[in-house]
């Protein structure tokens, strides 16, 4: 009689979902050095970086030869003086496609590669799980949705989303439904104190919890101030770069406003109440039922996340164009500048390409996988 439970336990632990997950992890580990979606995203030739000019090119534009330091200068100073050129020289940077060799000098490239590749394989496992669950009863197998919660937890150590915080009665964050459970657990502490078994208590109220959430969200918002400014500037540059493509501009604006759209979906008078009782003259029409609204809201989030992912290259190219933009700004200034400073400025933009990519992708992936995890529960 003990054999049947053992067989059932093995089936539950070694379901096909878990086997596919382990297989995907093994494939990702072995294929990453040879076939990587993250490396293809940056190094497929669609992104162009700007090469830094050599000292010879800068001196030629300035109309002088490269000075050779004398032995006396090297003995006195240990190194030659920095070579300077006028800022208003007619400098035009040369374009070059980002290739696999360039990825070797990119900052945090391995972290970026792991994140994107893991997200791709995890998405594949999720699609397989959904198709498998539609034809087979998986109630006795391990819930593979845990992989999404794991991914969300790992990425949240690097970057956190500030969608929480203080809510009013018009917001749907589910805090009120969770408060009774918290207070029920705290009743034991209060009763113990009243009976003299404890000399301390934890005065927790809804207001204190909301103030705590507001403080945490304010702190996270302060941390995200610089990435937010960078994203706003990149969005503006991407729109200007595609000035002759109105459809791309519309999509860029929708992508930029997607966080606001997601927040509006949780405001009851604007989203749920309006769609459930849309005014049509003297009568009201139900566009989306209250039961279907939750599913529609999740699908809208997934669609907006996919839109932001589809527009990744436009934002990355707009960032790479900052090198030429800085050179054009330099030409308008007076004075002289060291050639090494020009080379550093131009090179620094391309070296931090993966950092900017992480700042763009991580919040999108957190929201996307959190939505998929919520669906899998």
């Amino acid at each position: 009689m003990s054999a049947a439970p053992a067989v059932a336990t093995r089936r539950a632990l070694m379901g096909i979902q878990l086997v596919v997950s382990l297989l995907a992890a093994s494939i990702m580990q072995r294929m990453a050095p040879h076939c990587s979606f993250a490396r293809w995203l940056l190094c497929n030739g669609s992104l162009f970086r700007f090469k830094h000019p050599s000292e010879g090119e800068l001196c030629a534009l300035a109309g002088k030869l490269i000075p050779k330091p004398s032995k006396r200068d090297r003995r006195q100073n240990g190194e030659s003086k920095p070579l300077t050129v006028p800022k208003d020289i007619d400098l035009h940077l040369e374009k070059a496609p980002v290739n696999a060799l360039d990825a070797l000098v990119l900052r945090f490239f391995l972290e970026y590669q792991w994140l994107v590749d893991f997200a791709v394989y995890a998405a594949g496992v999720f699609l397989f799980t959904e198709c498998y669950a539609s034809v087979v009863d998986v109630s006795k197998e391990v819930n593979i949705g845990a992989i999404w919660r794991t991914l969300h937890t790992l990425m949240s150590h690097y970057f956190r989303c500030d969608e929480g915080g203080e809510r009013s009665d018009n917001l749907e964050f589910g805090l009120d439904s969770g408060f009774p459970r918290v207070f029920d657990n705290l009743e034991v502490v209060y009763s113990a104190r009243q009976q003299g078994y404890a000399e301390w208590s934890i005065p927790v109220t809804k207001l204190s919890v909301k103030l705590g959430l507001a403080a945490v969200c304010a702190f996270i918002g302060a941390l995200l101030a610089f990435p937010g400014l960078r994203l706003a500037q990149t969005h503006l540059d991407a729109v200007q770069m595609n000035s002759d493509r109105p459809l791309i501009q519309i999509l860029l604006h929708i992508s930029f406003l997607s966080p606001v759209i997601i927040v509006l979906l949780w405001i009851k008078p604007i989203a749920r109440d309006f769609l459930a009782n849309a005014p049509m003259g003297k009568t009201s029409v139900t566009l989306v039922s209250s039961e279907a609204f939750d599913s529609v809201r999740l699908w809208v989030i997934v669609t907006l996340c996919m839109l932001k992912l589809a527009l990744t290259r436009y934002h990355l190219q707009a960032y790479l164009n900052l090198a030429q933009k800085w050179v054009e700004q330099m030409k308008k200034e007076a004075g002289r500048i060291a050639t090494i400073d020009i080379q550093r400025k131009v090179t620094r933009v391309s070296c931090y390409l993966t950092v900017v990519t992480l700042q763009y992708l991580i919040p999108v992936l957190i929201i996307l996988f959190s939505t998929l995890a919520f669906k899998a529960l």
Side-chain angles (χ1 to χ4, degrees):
M1 296 181 62
S2 61
V7 173
T9 303
R10 286 195 296 268
R11 289 180 179 176
L13 293 178
M14 292 302 296
I16 188 172
Q17 299 180 68
L18 183 59
V19 172
V20 172
S21 299
L22 296 176
L23 180 62
S26 178
I27 294 176
M28 182 183 67
Q29 182 181 7
R30 295 180 180 274
M31 294 297 295
H34 310 287
C35 181
S36 172
F37 180 80
R39 187 166 57 246
W40 173 84
L41 182 63
L42 295 183
C43 308
N44 62 354
S46 61
L47 295 177
F48 293 89
R49 65 178 181 89
F50 290 89
K51 296 181 178 181
H52 67 80
S54 63
E55 289 188 351
E57 295 173 347
L58 293 174
C59 290
L61 293 175
K64 65 178 182 179
L65 299 177
I66 301 179
K68 296 182 179 180
S70 61
K71 295 182 179 180
R72 180 179 179 181
D73 294 335
R74 286 196 293 266
R75 285 195 304 266
Q76 292 179 352
N77 302 326
E79 59 180 8
S80 59
K81 295 181 179 180
L83 179 63
T84 61
V85 294
K87 291 185 176 181
D88 58 350
I89 57 176
D90 189 17
L91 176 61
H92 297 279
L93 300 179
E94 181 182 355
K95 281 186 177 182
V98 179
N99 51 41
L101 294 178
D102 299 328
L104 299 177
V105 298
L106 297 179
R107 299 292 183 93
F108 301 103
F109 179 78
L110 294 180
E111 290 80 359
Y112 156 78
Q113 183 178 8
W114 175 89
L115 172 69
V116 175
D117 288 345
F118 186 81
V120 171
Y121 282 94
V125 173
F126 175 80
L127 293 177
F128 171 81
T129 303
E130 291 299 307
C131 296
Y132 178 72
S134 62
V135 296
V136 179
D137 183 15
V138 295
S139 58
K140 295 183 179 181
E141 295 186 7
V142 176
N143 184 7
I144 207 63
I147 192 174
W148 307 111
R149 293 189 291 273
T150 303
L151 176 63
H152 171 66
T153 303
L154 290 175
M155 291 192 302
S156 63
H157 287 294
Y158 175 82
F159 194 98
R160 293 185 179 273
C161 184
D162 54 344
E163 293 185 6
E166 187 175 1
R167 66 181 282 274
S168 64
D169 293 336
N170 293 329
L171 300 183
E172 299 180 279
F173 285 159
L175 292 180
D176 286 340
S177 60
F179 278 125
R181 299 181 181 179
V182 176
F183 292 134
D184 291 342
N185 294 330
L186 291 176
E187 285 182 358
V188 179
V189 178
Y190 290 120
S191 62
R193 183 177 182 273
Q194 293 176 357
Q195 296 176 6
Y197 295 108
E199 298 181 354
W200 55 273
S201 62
I202 305 176
V204 179
T205 61
K206 290 185 179 181
L207 179 60
S208 62
V209 173
K210 291 180 179 181
L211 290 177
L213 289 175
V216 171
C217 292
F219 176 73
I220 295 175
L223 294 179
L224 303 182
F226 177 75
L229 295 174
R230 169 59 64 196
L231 178 61
Q233 183 61 48
T234 304
H235 166 74
L236 181 61
D237 295 340
V239 172
Q240 296 176 353
M241 184 180 64
N242 296 275
S243 58
D244 56 340
R245 306 171 70 179
L247 178 60
I248 300 298
Q249 288 184 328
I250 294 175
L251 295 178
L252 287 171
H253 288 308
I254 296 175
S255 173
F256 184 73
L257 296 176
S258 58
V260 179
I261 298 175
I262 294 177
V263 172
L264 293 179
L265 292 176
W266 263 261
I267 301 179
K268 293 177 64 177
I270 298 178
R272 185 185 293 271
D273 294 347
F274 177 78
L275 295 178
N277 299 294
M280 298 293 291
K282 297 182 179 181
T283 61
S284 60
V285 180
T286 302
L287 299 179
V288 179
S289 62
S290 180
E291 294 77 11
F293 177 75
D294 293 332
S295 298
V296 172
R297 185 162 54 182
L298 294 180
W299 280 112
V300 170
I301 296 176
V302 172
T303 303
L304 292 175
C305 290
M306 298 305 295
L307 175 62
K308 291 186 73 70
L309 293 177
L311 298 175
T312 301
R313 290 181 180 176
Y314 295 100
H315 289 85
L316 297 183
Q317 187 58 57
Y319 167 75
L320 291 174
N321 291 344
L322 289 178
Q324 182 63 40
K325 186 177 180 180
W326 177 82
V327 170
E328 296 298 330
Q329 180 64 30
M330 182 192 66
K331 293 180 182 179
K332 301 177 182 179
E333 301 175 358
R336 303 180 68 84
I337 185 174
T339 57
I340 187 64
D341 291 338
I342 298 177
Q343 295 172 345
R344 287 175 178 173
K345 287 285 188 180
V346 175
T347 305
R348 188 177 301 170
V349 173
S350 59
C351 286
Y352 283 90
L353 175 61
T354 49
V355 177
V356 176
T357 308
L358 287 173
Q359 291 179 347
Y360 181 85
L361 291 180
I362 283 181
V364 180
L365 294 178
I366 288 179
I367 297 176
L368 177 61
F369 288 134
S370 299
T371 305
L372 296 179
F374 181 76
K375 180 191 178 302
L377 293 178

